[in-house]
Amino acid sequence: MKSAETLSISTLGAFGCEIEGIDLALPLGPQNRAAIGDALDRHLVVLARGQKLSDPQLLAFSRNFGELDPPGPNPYGEPFNKDFPEINVISNVIENGRPIGGLGAGEAAWHADMTYTAIPPKCAVLHALEIPADGGGNTYFADMFAAYEGLPGDLKRDIAGKSAVHDASRNSAGLLRKGYSDVRDVRETVGVTHPLVRHDAKTGARALYLGRRHNSYIKGLSIAESEALLDRLWAHATAPRFTLCHRWRAGDVLMWNNLAVLHRRDPFDANARRIMHRTQIKGVETIA
Ligand code: SIN
C-alpha cells in the first residue's frame, strides 16, 4: 500500500511548515515525494505529527530524498544503532551503564550538522520516539537566508569574500569526538574551510553559512578580529526574529534543510527519558 496522495501543507511562521494527511511509514507516491521535497526547499523545516516509524521505515522514508550520510564520529567510537548504523540515536538514556545515544540531556549549542566536512549533509530527519512528559528539550531553528537578508550593511561588507574553518573536534554537546584533541589556537582548528556566505545551488539566493561558533576562525584575520566579527555575526544570525521553536511530541518527524538553517536544543530533566532516531541525507554540492 502507498500513502494516499492527499498531503496538505500549512506554514508554522516566517518559515517552517507542517504536513498533514500522510502516513510516513508507508511508501511515498511520486506526488507526495515531490510535495515534501518542495516544502523543504520553500519552508526549510517540515514537521509531520503522529507518525510511528520503525527503523527500516525511517530509512525508507529518508531515502526518498537522496543517499544517506552516516552519522559523524561520536565520543564512544562506535555506532549507537548497531543494526542500522545509518541511524543516529539522540538520547540521554543509559542502559547497562552505557548511553544508548548522543547529546545527553544538556543544551546543544547552535550548529548545522557535519559542516566540518567538504560536502555537508543537505537534510536531517529526526523522529521522536520518547519525549519527557514535563517538556524541555525544545529544538530551535534559525533561517540563514533571512539572517543574510537582514544583515546590516557594514556587517555584510565585512564578511564579503571571507571564509571560516568549521571545527570537527567537538560535537554539539561540547564533547570531544574520539580521535580528536583539544584546539588550543583557533588558527589550527581541524575541519574544512567554507565561505561565510553560501549561494543556493537552485535559486542563487544567499544565506549565511556559519556551522558552529566553537573554534571557528575567519581566515586571514588576527584572532582578535576574527573573534569580534564572529561574535557580531552569531549574535545577529541567532536573533529571535530569525528563529522558530519546536516543542516536541512523541511521534513527530521533523526534517530540516541543513544547508540553510542552524539548530539548537534546550536542556531537559536528566531523569526523564528522551529518545530520537535520526537520519541525514548526503549533500551533493560544495559550499560556494
Ligand atoms: C540535534 O540533532 O542537534 C539534536 C536535536 C534534538 O535533540 O532535538
Side-chain angles (χ1 to χ4, degrees), residues 23-270:
D23 180 353
L24 301 183
L26 299 176
L28 289 187
Q31 245 172 272
N32 280 340
R33 183 185 310 126
I36 295 173
D38 185 55
L40 195 59
D41 285 348
R42 289 159 62 104
H43 302 287
L44 311 181
V45 175
V46 176
L47 166 67
R49 301 262 198 204
Q51 305 294 321
K52 196 169 173 21
L53 275 63
S54 65
D55 284 346
Q57 287 166 336
L58 176 61
L59 290 171
F61 169 71
S62 304
R63 286 194 175 107
N64 283 294
F65 304 99
E67 199 184 329
L68 300 189
D69 219 351
N74 67 43
Y76 311 98
E78 52 182 38
F80 286 119
N81 189 329
K82 298 211 175 50
D83 293 336
F84 300 101
E86 306 96 321
I87 292 183
N88 200 359
V89 181
I90 309 293
S91 185
N92 64 317
V93 173
I94 313 267
E95 276 172 11
N96 303 320
R98 275 184 73 98
I100 66 161
L103 300 189
E107 177 181 356
W110 283 111
H111 66 284
D113 298 314
M114 291 175 60
T115 65
Y116 49 83
T117 59
I119 304 194
K122 65 177 182 182
C123 166
V125 182
L126 191 54
H127 184 27
L129 303 180
E130 289 186 50
I131 290 296
D134 295 338
N138 296 337
T139 303
Y140 299 77
F141 295 89
D143 175 351
M144 293 299 103
F145 288 115
Y148 179 82
E149 279 308 307
L151 280 173
D154 61 331
L155 201 44
K156 209 177 256 186
R157 198 185 51 238
D158 289 350
I159 64 169
K162 292 198 169 61
S163 297
V165 61
H166 291 227
D167 177 44
S169 70
R170 288 185 182 269
N171 73 7
S172 26
L175 295 180
L176 204 58
R177 298 181 202 272
K178 201 171 168 78
Y180 287 88
S181 33
D182 225 355
V183 174
R184 306 239 174 258
D185 177 333
V186 289
R187 290 168 302 188
E188 284 156 23
T189 292
V190 173
V192 169
T193 296
H194 295 294
L196 287 169
V197 180
R198 184 184 74 89
H199 294 78
D200 187 85
K202 284 187 190 155
T203 64
R206 281 181 276 200
L208 284 177
Y209 196 72
L210 303 182
R212 61 193 64 214
R213 175 65 185 89
H214 195 69
N215 292 335
S216 181
Y217 165 67
I218 302 178
K219 293 286 169 96
L221 300 187
S222 69
I223 293 180
E225 287 166 335
S226 167
E227 289 292 306
L229 187 48
L230 285 170
D231 282 347
R232 283 170 67 209
L233 255 187
W234 276 91
H236 169 84
T238 58
R241 67 185 180 282
F242 303 125
T243 69
L244 166 77
C245 170
H246 179 62
R247 294 179 173 76
W248 289 97
R249 294 182 207 153
D252 286 353
V253 170
L254 196 68
M255 307 173 68
W256 63 87
N257 177 333
N258 184 56
L259 303 180
V261 299
L262 295 171
H263 60 283
R264 67 165 281 273
R265 184 193 75 191
D266 279 341
F268 56 95
D269 177 2

